[in-house]
Amino acid sequence: MKRQLHLNLFIHSRGHHEASWRHPLSSPLPLTDIRYYQDLAQRAEAGLFDSIFLADQLALGDDASQAARTWLEPVTVLAATAVATSRIGLIATCSTTYTEPFNLARQFASLDHISKGRVAWNIVTSWLATAAGNFGGAGQMSHADRYVRAEEFMTVVKALWDSWADDAVIDDRAGGHYARADRIRPINHKGEHYQVAGPLNLPRTPQGRPVLVQAGSSDIGRRFAARHAEAVFTAHMEKKTAQEFHADLKRLVAEEGRKPEQVLILPGLSPMIASTQAEAERMTRETNELSDPEVGRKRLSGRFGGHDFSHLPLDRPLTPEDFPDPGSVQAARSRTEVILSLVRREKPTLRQLLANLAGARGHFCVAGTPEQVADIIEDWFSDGAADGFNIMPPLLPAMLDVFSAEVIPILQKRGLFRTSYEGKTLREHYGLDWPASAFKQAALQEA
Ligand SMILES: Cc1cc2nc3c(=O)[nH]c(=O)nc-3n(C[C@H](O)[C@H](O)[C@H](O)COP(=O)(O)O)c2cc1C
């Protein structure tokens, strides 16, 4: 069968454009109304998307008075969307820095049971400096230390998910025998950061383990992804850097002894779509005019670990010297590189840079017709830049609906996207192998 692309819907605010929350085309529902998320998941399911994704941060931004910066806690939302949908995959973000592995393993195992095998965890180490103030206040852990801790975290959660054999539960009412004790094992983990006895207090999940998603693009983030991730989100503003990332990550995956096709790379794409390019560009301009450059300035500062940009005039061309060295930033290192390469390439003024970032925070934004958007998707997909896309509509639900109604049929006609769901689980939608349980691995080793 022809290689097919994978589409994830990234749900964020009332759309990914910074000003989406006040745009007349965005949803009138409050961002605290669960029907908003359920409705978007149902729309994405009707469009045959592989999955939906919810990001998360563990602190309120300091621009809450001028920007819609609140959302419901993602694990809770996934439980509610799981019961409102039946086929689409569901991805929630959770931090390895600010939760315990036992809690996380249990929550995601529960979600995988609730959704009957449609759940994934987006593993983050939490780049936002202010999050540290909400968890003990000891200050932000360094970029490297966060990844060291995350590595041990992964060992523990995987062992917990594997601590029950597939056939441990027999639920034999007549015989009075619920589970086979010899098919459930403690994990007895004693490491530098975690001491966890196990086993998990839940049977093995429908997918064996939830699907693992990751989005770190720095060197250390890529190595982490190569070891653990089954899908990777990434931000690129041009095809060339996406191709380099794709080739590099697949190489690292092979170096880890894994199959490169078992890790899907999904760059972000934020399409403003209209019947003519001029109309799509007019809509983008109109949405940009609703955004406040001072909100953008604060967000830029957050991206660069709190660096002060307040003295920079809005209308002078920027130079790389206006920014701190990305190597010294303890926040999200890869996105700072994306922003700096844009500054080097296009020498925008601060106002222009902020308008660009307002679109989708450094992801690839395009304004065009359905045909033009489908052409870009096909070009990146067939030219080694992507295995699919993380679709980030600038306005929700308006631009999701246009994408589903106008772009997906073109992709289907070209044989690039499914015309119905074939599988029931996210592993099946993504074409991923089933993880063998620890019991099966041990049996294979003994045989
Ligand atoms: C599409 C996408 C979604 C992300 N979602 C989150 C998120 O929800 N929470 C978070 O703390 N970081 C999020 N990140 C940031 C990454 O997980 C990562 O922490 C960041 O890129 C810093 O790691 P790096 O320095 O290795 O790139 C996201 C990144 C991308 C590309």
Side-chain angles (χ1 to χ4, degrees):
M1 195 177 77
K2 194 169 165 180
R3 177 173 162 250
Q4 293 218 317
L5 58 86
H6 299 280
L7 294 177
N8 172 72
L9 171 68
F10 182 171
I11 297 177
H12 174 86
S13 186
R14 291 195 183 109
H16 284 265
H17 195 288
E18 193 179 279
S20 61
W21 64 277
R22 55 196 295 240
H23 195 286
L25 282 180
S26 68
S27 171
L29 287 172
L31 287 169
T32 45
D33 189 331
I34 190 60
R35 287 173 306 167
Y36 175 63
Y37 303 88
Q38 290 172 324
D39 173 65
L40 287 174
Q42 287 164 348
R43 286 174 199 251
E45 188 168 74
L48 304 175
F49 275 70
D50 292 72
S51 46
I52 61 158
F53 160 59
L54 301 168
D56 198 29
Q57 277 172 359
L58 296 168
L60 180 66
D62 59 4
D63 50 5
S65 60
Q66 309 114 300
R69 300 280 269 151
T70 54
W71 53 83
L72 296 170
E73 191 285 311
V75 169
T76 321
V77 174
L78 275 211
T81 47
V83 295
T85 54
S86 61
R87 299 301 276 272
I88 195 162
L90 308 163
I91 311 173
T93 299
C94 214
S95 172
T96 52
T97 306
Y98 300 114
T99 187
E100 286 289 322
F102 191 90
N103 285 340
L104 184 134
R106 186 174 181 225
Q107 284 174 312
F108 278 83
S110 295
L111 283 175
D112 209 41
H113 283 290
I114 292 169
S115 65
K116 300 194 164 41
R118 294 184 286 132
V119 158
W121 167 34
N122 176 39
I123 311 159
V124 301
T125 65
S126 295
W127 59 270
L128 191 70
T130 49
N134 292 332
F135 293 85
Q140 192 181 26
M141 226 182 277
S142 75
H143 187 264
D145 284 349
R146 292 202 305 274
Y147 274 110
V148 168
R149 199 183 168 97
E151 201 57 56
E152 190 182 335
F153 197 105
M154 295 311 298
T155 305
V156 178
V157 290
K158 286 179 182 177
L160 287 168
W161 286 324
D162 290 347
S163 62
W164 288 60
D166 293 302
D167 57 1
V169 177
I170 43 180
D171 204 0
D172 171 10
R173 293 174 188 232
H177 204 176
Y178 180 72
R180 295 163 56 182
D182 62 328
R183 308 292 285 160
I184 306 167
R185 282 187 196 160
I187 68 164
N188 295 325
H189 177 88
K190 287 192 174 62
E192 198 184 326
H193 301 283
Y194 303 105
Q195 307 234 335
V196 182
L200 195 62
N201 52 354
L202 258 185
R204 192 163 168 82
T205 80
Q207 294 188 106
R209 293 175 189 165
V211 172
L212 298 176
V213 178
Q214 206 260 356
S217 287
S218 63
D219 284 349
I220 185 169
R222 289 180 197 205
R223 290 207 173 268
F224 183 89
R227 273 192 294 280
H228 304 290
E230 299 174 294
V232 172
F233 296 141
T234 181
H236 296 276
M237 286 186 168
E238 38 175 358
K239 186 172 87 174
K240 190 167 124 295
T241 62
Q243 285 170 319
E244 285 162 6
F245 179 80
H246 192 276
D248 188 49
L249 191 59
K250 298 276 177 173
R251 179 183 61 79
L252 292 172
V253 170
E255 269 181 32
E256 292 292 333
R258 300 177 62 208
K259 293 186 229 153
E261 69 277 11
Q262 287 291 304
V263 183
L264 305 178
I265 300 177
L266 310 175
L269 175 65
S270 186
M272 189 73 93
I273 310 162
S275 52
T276 64
Q277 186 177 352
E279 173 63 4
E281 284 170 356
R282 188 193 62 73
M283 289 178 72
T284 300
R285 268 197 312 278
E286 204 180 83
T287 316
N288 282 347
E289 277 158 21
L290 288 176
S291 60
D292 177 346
E294 293 315 315
V295 172
R297 202 193 282 265
K298 281 184 188 163
R299 284 198 186 175
L300 189 66
S301 167
R303 282 271 168 219
F304 282 83
H307 185 79
D308 183 10
F309 291 105
S310 63
H311 61 284
L312 284 185
L314 279 170
D315 294 308
R316 145 168 95 65
L318 293 166
T319 68
E321 288 69 46
D322 291 320
F323 295 82
D325 169 14
S328 69
V329 172
Q330 297 301 327
R333 199 161 289 170
S334 46
R335 201 72 58 87
T336 56
E337 304 272 11
V338 170
I339 294 170
L340 270 168
S341 67
L342 175 82
V343 167
R344 277 188 216 105
R345 204 170 59 240
E346 295 179 12
K347 304 181 181 52
T349 62
L350 181 61
R351 191 188 300 279
Q352 287 164 336
L353 176 70
L354 296 179
N356 190 319
L357 296 177
R361 307 176 302 287
H363 287 263
F364 186 47
C365 295
V366 53
T369 63
E371 200 78 34
Q372 286 171 319
V373 173
D375 287 349
I376 289 171
I377 290 178
E378 179 165 9
D379 179 40
W380 283 44
F381 178 64
S382 56
D383 206 13
D387 300 315
F389 286 86
N390 192 17
I391 300 297
M392 305 169 59
L395 304 169
L396 282 167
M399 285 300 136
L400 166 63
D401 289 345
V402 182
F403 186 90
S404 294
E406 308 280 345
V407 180
I408 287 185
I410 300 174
L411 298 172
Q412 287 169 327
K413 237 175 253 149
R414 296 181 189 177
L416 295 170
F417 193 59
R418 69 172 65 83
T419 50
S420 63
Y421 284 116
E422 279 166 24
K424 292 204 163 105
T425 63
L426 180 56
R427 274 190 192 284
E428 287 167 314
H429 302 336
Y430 278 175
L432 297 172
D433 290 342
W434 231 256
S437 76
F439 291 84
K440 212 165 260 168
Q441 286 165 23
L444 286 175
Q445 271 163 14
E446 276 160 26

